[in-house]
Every structure is written in C-alpha cells, then in structure tokens.
C-alpha cells in the first residue's frame, strides 16, 4: 500500500520516512525588477511550505539548475504584467514528499521527479503531476536535460535541418546547452566547430566530439573561420549575441541557417540587448539564401516530453555526456544551499562554467534515494 495525501480529507503532510515536513522553508523571491540578480532577488527564510492540491505533487528539491535567462526573469522581461514579489528558478530535481489524491494515480511518495516550472529556487515546490517527469533516481545529470538538453535537441531538430557532413558552429559550446548542441550535431554526422573561452573548455569539447575548437581569448574567430572554412558554415547554434552574432552571420554558407537560442552578452544590460549590425541583415541573407531563426523552448512544449524521453534514453545508454558544474573550482567552493544561487549566477556570467551549473540543496532529513 502506498502512502498518499488526500487533500480533501486532511491537511496532514506525509513524507516517505514518516517524518514531518516543516511548516516553513527558504526560497528566493524577486522583490524588485532588475537585471542585477543580487539587487532583484531576496532570500526569504520563513516562507510557508505550499500545500499540493488534488492534482499536484509537493517536491523536496535536491538539485536546481541555473540558466542565463534567470536574470531576464528577475528583470521582468518575459511577462510585463507580472509584478514583484514572485518566485524564481526554472527547473528542479527532487523527490515527492506529499501529493493530492488524483496525483496519486501516477505518483507515489518518495518518487524521484524532475520538472520545469517557475519557482524552483525553493526548498519545496508544488508541481502539477502532469508537468512532472518521473526519474529512476535523483541525479543532477537529469537536470541538465530539462531546459538545456531539450533546447539543443528541439532547436536543432525543428530548425537546424542537419544533414550528414554539414559544418555546424556552436557558440559558447562548453556551456549548459552548448555541450548538447555539440554532441547532437556529431550524432547527426556533422563537422562541429565550437567556440569557448579557455583551453580547459577546449579540452572538454574535444572529449565530447568537437572537431575544431576556437578559444576566442587566444584566437581570432573571424580569421579562423575564414581560413579553415572558406565556403562558410551550414548551421550556427548561437547563444552569445552582439559581436559573435555578427561574426556568425558573416560566416554562413549558401543556404546557411543561424539559430538564435539567446544572446547572453546583452542580458546584463538595462535593455537586455547588445547592439548588432542588423541594418545589413536583409542584404546578407538575400545574398546567401540564408535564414536567421529564433528558438524559445516555451513555444515547443507540445514536443517537450518526446524530446526529454529521447534524451533520457540516450543518457541511460551512455550515448550522451551530461556535464554538471557544481562550482567546485569557484573561489568559495561548491554551490550548496539556496544562498549560493547568487554566486552561481555570477559564476555563469563570468564565463567560468564547463557544462550545466547546478546548485545542490542539502536536507537534514536523510533521503533513501
């Protein structure tokens, strides 16, 4: 018999060890709109632990993911109608500690789950059961697939139109999503070029199959592309923006496709943008029959579960490296606890991470998982 929580009869929490769930918790809340994450976000110490409704799960978060767009969210750029205070954090992995009666049809207490939903920067998050993804165990590697892996998979599948032998340029290739773009383009039998900011990152990229790495701190990206790829590149997976966007656009081959999944260099600016030489865009595209296409994961949610199942199978077969960066090499050490989310965001914007930045939330209750 499975322990369930039937909210219609009881406000009593259950968790899988029979120990009580606390009545209050820590969570991060946007209290002021700003692209400066430390200015925008407050750590609240004693927020009430939310109650799951009939179709919900209460998840005790064990790992939460850091995304470049966390600061777009704290700046209020995604939905101008939302006013502070509001919860932040896009994704989490943890275990179900309580659930509503309808949710108990598919889930049980103690089960490992992942989810994508605003409000993951908290010790506990209520997640609608239909939005949760059951997992074999609570592992940070699964978290890398939720936003970063799915973005790379769906954008390349839907917009990349990859063919064997094509040349694919991945900018910020050693980052959370870049690592997957590199590997998926290699699986499609393409020649992959990756830009990065250190030789250590270059070594990581070679280990996951990158054919040519360009350290933009020591090499001139434009010169390298012109010399080594005079005919241009067929697909660009672009997340940097600004000068890198202009450079990638100029490097496109005939019928080339440039996929914009972000422009991280602009996010810390008040406008969220970095200037690009857009006035020449029509002429450049026409000259090459090329295209520029944007990709935002929220617009592809109908394909999301399919993408995730595919990536989970690849990982479980050993066909996908899911690199996690816990900040062990950062000055103050590993990202542990919600208070370290601020450091983790800084670390991302300093360009230090290799793979996906993940923060661990330790719990005093020992987990069986």
């Amino acid at each position: 018999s499975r322990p369930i929580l039937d909210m219609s009869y009881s406000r009593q929490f259950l968790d899988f060890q029979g120990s009580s769930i606390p009545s209050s918790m820590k969570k991060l809340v946007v209290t002021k709109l700003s692209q400066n994450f430390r200015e925008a976000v407050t750590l609240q110490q004693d927020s009430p632990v939310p109650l799951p409704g009939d179709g919900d799960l209460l998840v005790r978060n064990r790992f939460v993911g850091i995304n470049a767009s966390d600061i777009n969210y704290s700046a209020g750029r995604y939905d101008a109608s939302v006013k502070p205070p509001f919860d932040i954090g896009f994704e989490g992995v943890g275990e179900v500690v309580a659930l509503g009666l309808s949710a108990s049809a598919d889930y049980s207490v103690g089960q490992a789950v992942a989810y994508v939903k605003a409000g993951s920067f908290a010790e506990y998050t209520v997640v609608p059961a239909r939005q949760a993804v059951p997992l074999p165990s609570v592992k940070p590697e699964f978290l890398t697939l939720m936003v970063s892996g799915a973005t790379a998979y769906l954008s390349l599948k839907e917009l990349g139109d990859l063919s064997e032998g094509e040349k694919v340029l991945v900018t910020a290739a050693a980052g959370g999503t870049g690592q997957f773009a590199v590997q998926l383009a290699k699986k499609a039998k393409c020649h992959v070029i990756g830009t990065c900011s250190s030789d250590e990152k270059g070594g990581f990229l070679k280990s996951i199959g990158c054919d040519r790495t360009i350290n933009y701190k020591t090499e001139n990206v434009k010169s390298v592309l012109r010399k080594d790829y005079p005919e241009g590149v067929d697909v660009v997976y672009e997340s940097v923006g600004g000068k890198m966007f202009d450079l990638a656009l100029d490097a496109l081959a005939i019928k080339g496709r440039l996929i914009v999944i972000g422009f991280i260099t602009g996010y810390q600016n008040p406008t969220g943008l970095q200037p690009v030489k857009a006035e020449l865009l029509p002429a450049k595209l026409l000259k090459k029959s090329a295209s520029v296409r944007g990709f935002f994961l929220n617009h592809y949610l109908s394909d999301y579960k399919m993408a995730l199942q595919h990536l989970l199978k690849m990982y479980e077969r050993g066909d996908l490296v899911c690199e996690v960066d816990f900040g062990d090499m950062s000055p103050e050490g590993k990202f542990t606890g919600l208070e370290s989310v601020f450091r983790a965001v800084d670390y991302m914007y300093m360009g230090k991470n290799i793979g996906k930045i993940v923060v661990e939330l330790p719990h005093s209750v020992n987990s069986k998982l």
Side-chain angles (χ1 to χ4, degrees), residues 237-256:
Y237 182 88
E238 217 295 277
S239 62
V240 175
K243 292 188 176 72
M244 188 63 84
F245 173 88
D246 290 331
L247 200 149
L249 182 66
D250 291 342
L252 282 177
I254 303 292
K255 297 184 184 173

Side-chain angles (χ1 to χ4, degrees), residues 299-316:
H299 299 147
Y300 289 84
L301 293 182
S302 58
D303 298 318
Y304 179 75
K305 283 225 163 158
M306 170 277 296
L308 207 55
Q309 297 306 334
H310 182 80
L311 291 167
L312 283 165
K313 280 184 190 136
M314 283 181 75
Y315 172 67
E316 283 166 359

Side-chain angles (χ1 to χ4, degrees), residues 63-68 70 91 121 140 143-144 148 174-177 179 201 264 323-328 330 334-335 340-360:
F63 300 103
V64 295
I66 304 295
N67 292 284
D70 287 328
E91 53 185 343
F121 291 164
L143 191 56
T144 67
S148 301
T177 180
Q179 64 170 330
K201 290 184 179 187
I264 190 171
E323 189 69 17
V324 172
D325 192 332
F326 277 120
D328 294 303
S330 66
K334 187 176 175 178
F335 303 134
S340 70
V341 168
F342 298 96
R343 282 200 300 123
V345 170
D346 290 343
Y347 182 74
M348 168 171 275
Y349 278 91
M350 288 188 287
K352 300 291 188 191
N353 58 301
I354 296 180
K356 174 85 178 181
I357 302 176
V358 173
V359 174
E360 183 171 7

Side-chain angles (χ1 to χ4, degrees), residues 254-255 280-291:
I254 303 292
K255 297 184 184 173
L280 297 174
L281 187 63
K284 287 179 178 180
L285 295 179
L286 181 66
K287 190 178 169 188
K288 295 176 175 176
S289 294
S291 64

Side-chain angles (χ1 to χ4, degrees), residues 48-337:
V49 171
L51 290 169
D54 180 60
D56 296 332
L57 311 173
L58 181 67
V59 178
R60 178 190 285 148
N61 293 315
R62 293 272 303 285
F63 300 103
V64 295
I66 304 295
N67 292 284
S69 47
D70 287 328
I71 73 170
N72 286 333
Y73 202 64
S74 71
R77 289 179 186 143
Y78 286 160
D79 185 350
S81 69
V82 178
K83 299 286 181 272
F86 55 87
D87 297 347
I88 190 166
F90 293 134
E91 53 185 343
V93 165
E95 58 251 331
V96 175
V97 290
L99 68 169
L101 186 59
S102 298
S104 71
D106 298 307
Y107 289 91
S108 55
V109 168
Q111 189 162 355
V113 293
Y115 64 89
V116 175
K117 177 184 179 285
S120 71
F121 291 164
E123 291 178 318
Y124 295 85
T125 304
V126 166
V127 180
R130 59 188 161 71
Q131 287 180 22
V133 178
L135 297 175
S137 61
V138 175
K139 280 174 76 172
E141 286 79 8
F142 292 127
L143 191 56
T144 67
L145 302 174
M146 298 302 293
V147 171
S148 301
T151 294
Y153 177 81
L154 285 168
S155 62
L156 289 173
K157 180 175 178 287
E158 298 295 325
L159 309 179
D161 198 21
L162 300 181
S163 300
E164 185 174 341
E166 285 193 315
K167 298 174 190 71
V168 178
L169 171 65
V170 180
T171 63
T177 180
Q179 64 170 330
F180 294 111
V182 167
Q183 294 178 80
L184 293 167
K186 278 309 291 178
K187 300 266 179 242
K189 299 183 176 170
C190 295
H191 176 94
V192 183
I193 308 134
T195 70
C196 62
S197 60
S198 72
D199 290 341
E200 188 191 358
K201 290 184 179 187
F204 166 68
L205 289 173
K206 288 197 173 89
S207 77
I208 59 170
C210 204
D211 297 288
R212 173 67 159 99
T213 61
I214 307 173
N215 178 348
Y216 62 81
K217 295 275 176 79
T218 58
E219 294 181 274
N220 183 305
V221 181
K222 189 173 187 174
S223 305
V224 170
L225 291 173
R226 192 173 282 169
K227 177 173 168 288
D228 293 0
Y229 306 96
E231 299 293 309
V233 295
D234 302 291
V235 176
V236 182
Y237 182 88
E238 217 295 277
S239 62
V240 175
K243 292 188 176 72
M244 188 63 84
F245 173 88
D246 290 331
L247 200 149
L249 182 66
D250 291 342
L252 282 177
I254 303 292
K255 297 184 184 173
R257 289 87 70 197
L258 194 160
I259 305 168
V260 177
I261 65 121
F263 33 94
I264 190 171
T265 51
Y267 294 168
Q268 288 178 303
N269 297 345
T271 60
L273 296 167
Q274 186 89 320
V276 296
K277 294 175 184 162
E279 67 274 11
L280 297 174
L281 187 63
K284 287 179 178 180
L285 295 179
L286 181 66
K287 190 178 169 188
K288 295 176 175 176
S289 294
S291 64
V292 175
R293 302 186 71 177
F295 178 89
F296 188 49
L297 185 60
N298 289 14
H299 299 147
Y300 289 84
L301 293 182
S302 58
D303 298 318
Y304 179 75
K305 283 225 163 158
M306 170 277 296
L308 207 55
Q309 297 306 334
H310 182 80
L311 291 167
L312 283 165
K313 280 184 190 136
M314 283 181 75
Y315 172 67
E316 283 166 359
R317 284 200 309 263
D319 287 344
L320 203 58
V321 172
C322 297
E323 189 69 17
V324 172
D325 192 332
F326 277 120
D328 294 303
M329 297 294 124
S330 66
E332 292 170 62
K334 187 176 175 178
F335 303 134
T336 305

